């Protein structure tokens, strides 16, 4: 198998003191892909020192339980560092995945980006 | 029971499948993706509704990840056998890995408070939620799943619900 170039999977924008992250991929699947996305998300906290992270899922049509695992780890890392994670703009079908797994109780989930920005 | 077309084509309810296929793939994500895309195309071509396609895709993704990662331990020499059938009223699939099998009863409830922050263990739960039937053989290396299609008498022309 040819190794994929380690291209950027996240679009990162700073709005005030909140770091807003959009996903490049519409489908967050495949172990390798999820690994890269996870590493890039963790890097925002561990290397770049961001503490208020807003993940905008507007572009995401599909994700698997392995991706949920990365979000849980990210949430823990941010909590440990005294930061906060908020998720927003989640497609109803994907939101159902969070509800079934009761992760809607673990994460702060907001409908729109604007409301999410104000929730920090 | 050997996985043969004759076995999987035994009529279980009333009608014969319109499509029945059996393939064996190596344990890697690209091959799994290829078969998932193929099944999605078959479902789209049959005008199965979006919601059932979402459910089947999600369950299939989780089952294949389990087979590759937990069953075959990412060993590229090990195979995954996939047999699926599309009936007018339902989709059925059987996925077998070359691993030692597992006891689904040993998988902790990921929604229990003490497990909520564990990063793994949600795949099986999602499979059970999104499919009508999820059953393992005694060894635990074959999962059989089925999805009954919801009635969709008047699909809108743009394909949205």
């Amino acid at each position: 198998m040819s190794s994929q170039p380690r291209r950027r999977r996240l679009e990162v924008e700073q709005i005030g003191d909140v770091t807003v992250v959009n996903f490049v991929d519409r489908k967050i699947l495949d172990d390798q892909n999820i690994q890269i996305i996870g590493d890039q998300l963790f890097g925002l906290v561990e290397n770049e020192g961001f503490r208020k992270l807003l993940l905008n899922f507007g572009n995401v049509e599909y994700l698997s339980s392995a991706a949920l695992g990365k979000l849980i780890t990210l949430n823990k890392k941010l909590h440990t560092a005294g930061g906060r994670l908020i998720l927003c703009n989640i497609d109803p079908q994907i939101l159902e995945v969070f509800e079934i797994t009761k992760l809607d109780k673990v994460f702060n989930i907001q409908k729109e980006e604007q409301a999410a920005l104000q929730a920090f | 029971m050997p996985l043969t077309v004759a076995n999987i084509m035994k009529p279980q309810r009333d009608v014969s499948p319109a499509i029945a296929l059996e393939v064996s793939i190596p344990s890697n994500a690209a091959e799994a993706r290829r078969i998932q895309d193929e099944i999605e195309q078959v479902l789209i071509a049959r005008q199965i509704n979006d919601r059932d396609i979402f459910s089947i895709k999600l369950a299939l993704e989780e089952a294949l990840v389990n087979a590759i990662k937990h069953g075959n331990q990412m060993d590229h020499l090990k195979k995954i056998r996939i047999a699926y059938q599309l009936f007018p009223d339902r989709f059925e699939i059987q996925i077998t890995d070359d691993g030692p099998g597992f006891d689904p009863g040993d998988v902790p409830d990921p929604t229990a408070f003490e497990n909520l922050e564990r990063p793994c263990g949600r795949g099986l739960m999602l499979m059970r939620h999104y499919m009508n039937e999820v059953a393992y053989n005694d060894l635990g290396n074959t999962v059989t799943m089925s999805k009954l299609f919801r009635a969709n008498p008047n699909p809108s022309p743009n394909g949205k619900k």
Side-chain angles (χ1 to χ4, degrees), chain B residues 12 17 21 24 34-36 47 58 73 83 88 103 107 109-111 118 131 138-139 148 151 154 156 158:
Chain B
Q12 293 175 0
L21 215 100
S24 177
R34 195 180 53 76
I35 188 82
Q36 281 168 282
Q47 295 185 309
L58 196 138
Q73 303 278 317
D103 180 354
V107 179
D109 175 6
T111 64
R118 283 171 53 136
M131 301 298 271
D138 288 342
L139 185 59
L148 293 170
N154 296 309
S156 61
N158 62 7

Side-chain angles (χ1 to χ4, degrees), chain B residues 45-61:
Chain B
R46 280 302 178 111
Q47 295 185 309
I48 304 304
N49 67 80
D50 288 353
R51 177 146 176 93
D52 287 342
I53 292 181
F54 180 90
S55 300
I56 291 168
K57 274 170 65 180
L58 196 138
L60 195 51
E61 167 74 22

Side-chain angles (χ1 to χ4, degrees), chain B residues 68-124:
Chain B
I68 293 172
K69 233 175 163 172
H70 303 302
N72 288 351
Q73 303 278 317
M74 319 279 273
D75 181 345
H76 288 215
L77 297 175
K78 290 183 174 169
K79 298 273 187 191
I80 295 166
R81 287 171 300 287
I82 300 161
Y84 68 86
Q85 301 139 277
L86 181 64
F87 297 84
D89 63 336
R90 69 191 186 277
F91 174 81
E92 293 185 1
I93 188 158
Q94 209 171 40
I95 298 171
T96 302
D97 60 57
D98 281 340
F102 80 112
D103 180 354
D106 289 344
V107 179
D109 175 6
T111 64
F113 180 75
E114 65 275 18
N115 297 330
L116 265 183
E117 297 210 338
R118 283 171 53 136
C120 341
R122 290 179 180 78
L124 185 56

Side-chain angles (χ1 to χ4, degrees), chain A residues 10-23 44 50 52-56 88 113 117 120:
Chain A
L10 309 173
E11 281 167 10
V12 182
E13 178 193 6
Q14 200 67 23
I15 300 181
D17 61 349
V18 178
T19 307
V20 181
V21 178
N22 278 275
F23 295 91
L44 294 175
F50 295 127
K52 291 183 179 178
L53 237 57
L54 173 56
L55 305 188
N56 188 328
C88 75
E113 184 172 304
L117 284 169
F120 278 98

Side-chain angles (χ1 to χ4, degrees), chain A residues 11 14 18 36 40 42 44 56 69 80 82 94-95 105 118:
Chain A
E11 281 167 10
Q14 200 67 23
V18 178
I36 294 169
Q40 292 181 1
F42 301 161
L44 294 175
N56 188 328
T80 307
I94 296 178
L95 190 59
K105 305 278 183 281
Q118 284 162 11

Side-chain angles (χ1 to χ4, degrees), chain A residues 2-15:
Chain A
S2 62
S3 62
Q4 281 184 324
R6 214 183 137 77
R7 68 181 173 86
R8 196 116 189 105
R9 300 293 168 102
L10 309 173
E11 281 167 10
V12 182
E13 178 193 6
Q14 200 67 23
I15 300 181

Side-chain angles (χ1 to χ4, degrees), chain A:
Chain A
M1 269 192 309
S2 62
S3 62
Q4 281 184 324
R6 214 183 137 77
R7 68 181 173 86
R8 196 116 189 105
R9 300 293 168 102
L10 309 173
E11 281 167 10
V12 182
E13 178 193 6
Q14 200 67 23
I15 300 181
D17 61 349
V18 178
T19 307
V20 181
V21 178
N22 278 275
F23 295 91
V24 173
D25 301 272
R26 288 190 302 122
K27 297 178 182 184
I28 306 181
L29 300 169
D30 294 334
D31 227 38
Q32 202 186 4
N33 195 11
I34 289 170
Q35 203 62 38
I36 294 169
I37 290 174
D39 288 348
Q40 292 181 1
L41 285 170
F42 301 161
L44 294 175
V45 180
E46 291 171 340
N47 305 333
E48 304 191 40
F50 295 127
R51 291 294 175 262
K52 291 183 179 178
L53 237 57
L54 173 56
L55 305 188
N56 188 328
F57 284 80
N59 198 28
V60 180
E61 288 175 0
Y62 211 75
L63 53 75
S64 70
S65 71
L68 297 177
K70 291 293 178 194
L71 296 180
I72 291 167
T73 306
L74 177 68
N75 201 30
K76 279 196 220 167
K77 284 183 192 289
L78 267 167
H79 273 271
T80 307
R84 284 194 77 191
L85 175 68
I86 298 184
L87 318 181
C88 75
N89 222 351
I90 302 180
D91 172 273
Q93 283 190 323
I94 296 178
L95 190 59
E96 193 184 338
V97 174
F98 282 87
E99 287 164 358
I100 297 159
T101 52
K102 295 205 166 66
L103 288 176
D104 58 329
K105 305 278 183 281
V106 173
F107 295 110
N108 183 339
I109 299 175
Q110 302 286 330
K111 274 204 171 109
E112 308 291 341
E113 184 172 304
Q114 207 50 44
L117 284 169
Q118 284 162 11
F120 278 98

